[in-house]
Amino acid sequence: MTELAAVKAALKTQAVETPSWAYGNSGTRFKVFAQAGVPRDPFEKLDDAAKVHEFTGAAPTVALHIPWDRVGDYAALARHAEDRGVRIGAINSNTFQDDDYRLGSVCHPDPAVRRKAVDHLLECVDIMDATGSHDLKLWFADGTNYPGQDDIRARQDRLAEGLAEVYERLGDGQRMLLEYKLFEPAFYTTDVPDWGTAYAHCLKLGEKAQVVVDTGHHAPGTNIEFIVATLLREGRLGGFDFNSRFYADDDLMVGAADPFQLFRIMYEVVRGGGFTSDVAFMLDQCHNIEAKIPAIIRSVMNVQEATAKALLVDGTALAAAQGAGDVLEANSVLMDAYNTDVRPLLREVREESGLDPEPMKAYRSCGWAEKVVAERVGGQQAGWGA
């Protein structure tokens, strides 16, 4: 197989998971701008997700968020997804939108609140069983706002205890993916603030616990690709939440703020074997002022373009330059790949896969946007927190 053929073959296997919540109305703490035609329930979210997969060929799974996507029959929801040509992906828990969680959830000083939070996480594993999902994704808003508010070490003990109970409930082929975040909504301490804390808990739990890297959850200037390389080296990179940030957790479209960073991350994924392993590539974005489905299609394409460039890095030439200590040549090899226009290559890949070479144009001309605006009237539109 030629080098170009190998790159094409790799790109044809790429899968990017889209989040159900991105198809509904979402925004900032200041304002959510409602859009006509957005889904009114989880079934319609899956309908929209299926259109993204139809035109990209690279978005076969959809992450759910509980309770935002709570339904009476999860097996029926999974069948609906399969009927539309997609599958249920990660199940995301929610322990941050209940009044009881004002001082935390699994780290709360009150045992009754901790019990409530853990029971919710166990419910999410039940939903995994019903939908055939393999991943339980956990992000905790737990933390403190003021020095002395709570015992920092005790909160870590409570976190470990709760995670251990949920870990034991996982079935064969199921994983726990633990996400971290630098700050917000807590501002003095966050109970899972960085990859080291997440890694330490996962290491203690076992092989089925892995770390999720959200590209918007770091301090300015953080070298995210170093974190990715280290977690891959340790066999503990479970997945990504892809998005872009300018200032904090902005949740903008992946590749919008710093496409070079996305390329650097994907290079480390390719270099570390993550592209051919079970690392989950997920989007976690908020589409407040742009149309939902086109924005998600564009995001999937952005990930594909960064991946294609990463796959085109001349590894032999790069290793030779690095071994010779030729700093400029090594950097040049990397930059040559990044500066390659991979759009013609990706058009070829899509055509060879029986897809329209231009996903955005194909979607805009298919009539789906006009159809859902006309049909999705009445009822309650599903949005952030719905």
Side-chain angles (χ1 to χ4, degrees):
M1 183 181 293
T2 66
E3 180 181 347
L4 184 58
V7 170
K8 285 184 176 181
L11 289 169
K12 289 174 184 177
T13 67
Q14 186 169 35
V16 180
E17 184 163 298
T18 68
S20 67
W21 54 94
Y23 296 98
N25 286 322
S26 59
T28 70
R29 71 190 64 176
F30 300 105
K31 174 66 177 175
V32 174
F33 296 105
Q35 297 182 20
V38 300
R40 295 165 295 182
D41 57 44
F43 292 89
E44 291 182 347
K45 291 177 181 178
L46 292 173
D47 293 341
D48 285 358
K51 303 308 287 187
V52 173
H53 184 50
E54 176 183 339
F55 291 108
T56 65
T61 58
V62 186
L64 300 185
H65 206 295
I66 307 301
W68 301 348
D69 294 318
R70 186 170 279 152
V71 296
D73 188 339
Y74 289 101
L77 187 66
R79 289 193 299 271
H80 182 83
E82 292 173 1
D83 289 343
R84 299 300 186 273
V86 293
R87 303 185 312 277
I88 302 299
I91 304 300
N92 292 252
S93 63
N94 183 319
T95 55
F96 54 88
Q97 282 191 312
D98 190 293
D99 285 347
D100 285 343
Y101 300 143
R102 182 170 60 92
L103 299 179
S105 60
V106 294
C107 302
H108 199 288
D110 186 341
V113 176
R114 297 200 299 274
R115 182 70 260 161
K116 175 178 178 176
V118 171
D119 284 346
H120 168 67
L121 303 184
L122 295 173
E123 174 199 7
C124 288
V125 182
D126 292 339
I127 294 170
M128 292 170 66
D129 293 340
T131 61
S133 172
H134 301 296
D135 292 337
L136 172 67
K137 190 143 73 67
L138 306 178
W139 171 71
F140 298 108
D142 293 36
T144 64
N145 276 358
Y146 299 99
Q149 177 182 324
D150 200 356
D151 188 308
I152 294 175
R153 179 166 175 165
R155 292 181 73 89
Q156 289 297 308
D157 291 340
R158 299 167 200 156
L159 173 62
E161 181 180 355
L163 290 176
E165 181 176 348
V166 179
Y167 185 88
E168 289 303 313
R169 169 65 181 80
L170 294 175
D172 294 338
Q174 294 180 338
R175 302 187 299 173
M176 172 188 291
L177 304 183
L178 182 58
E179 187 175 349
Y180 58 90
K181 186 176 183 179
L182 176 65
F183 79 102
E184 194 185 43
F187 294 103
Y188 173 60
T189 64
T190 301
D191 291 314
V192 190
D194 51 43
W195 71 273
T197 305
Y199 173 70
H201 280 284
C202 289
L203 198 62
K204 192 169 185 178
L205 288 166
E207 293 295 326
K208 292 191 288 187
Q210 297 188 314
V211 180
V212 169
V213 175
D214 185 307
T215 51
H217 284 188
H218 303 83
T222 298
N223 189 318
I224 299 175
E225 55 267 35
F226 174 83
I227 298 170
V228 171
T230 301
L231 290 173
L232 278 168
R233 181 174 180 271
E234 298 297 319
R236 289 290 176 161
L237 179 62
F240 289 94
D241 272 0
F242 280 134
N243 53 65
S244 282
R245 53 158 290 167
F246 289 104
Y247 300 104
D249 186 21
D250 302 343
D251 276 348
L252 299 173
M253 290 168 51
V254 60
D258 188 352
F260 184 46
Q261 180 191 66
L262 180 59
F263 161 75
R264 299 193 310 265
I265 289 170
M266 291 310 302
Y267 170 71
E268 291 302 333
V269 170
V270 171
R271 164 70 178 82
F275 190 64
T276 55
S277 68
D278 57 356
V279 174
F281 302 99
M282 299 172 279
L283 302 180
D284 182 14
Q285 302 176 164
C286 169
H287 305 292
N288 191 25
I289 61 173
E290 65 269 27
K292 315 294 182 180
I293 297 177
I296 297 172
I297 290 175
R298 168 54 64 190
S299 298
V300 172
M301 294 172 67
N302 287 349
V303 175
Q304 289 179 309
E305 290 176 14
T307 304
K309 293 180 178 185
L311 289 165
L312 288 173
V313 172
D314 187 336
T316 302
L318 182 60
Q322 291 170 339
D326 192 334
V327 176
L328 293 179
E329 179 60 21
N331 177 252
S332 178
V333 171
L334 210 65
M335 294 307 298
D336 283 346
Y338 175 68
N339 289 322
T340 301
D341 184 357
V342 296
R343 292 174 297 177
L345 171 62
L346 285 165
R347 284 194 288 268
E348 288 182 21
V349 168
R350 295 184 189 109
E351 287 180 325
E352 291 174 7
S353 301
L355 300 169
D356 191 293
E358 298 287 352
M360 291 287 284
K361 291 181 181 178
Y363 170 73
R364 286 176 176 146
S365 64
C366 78
W368 182 257
E370 295 77 12
K371 172 182 165 63
V372 296
V373 167
E375 293 182 352
R376 292 175 183 172
V377 294
Q380 178 64 43
Q381 289 182 321
W384 194 89

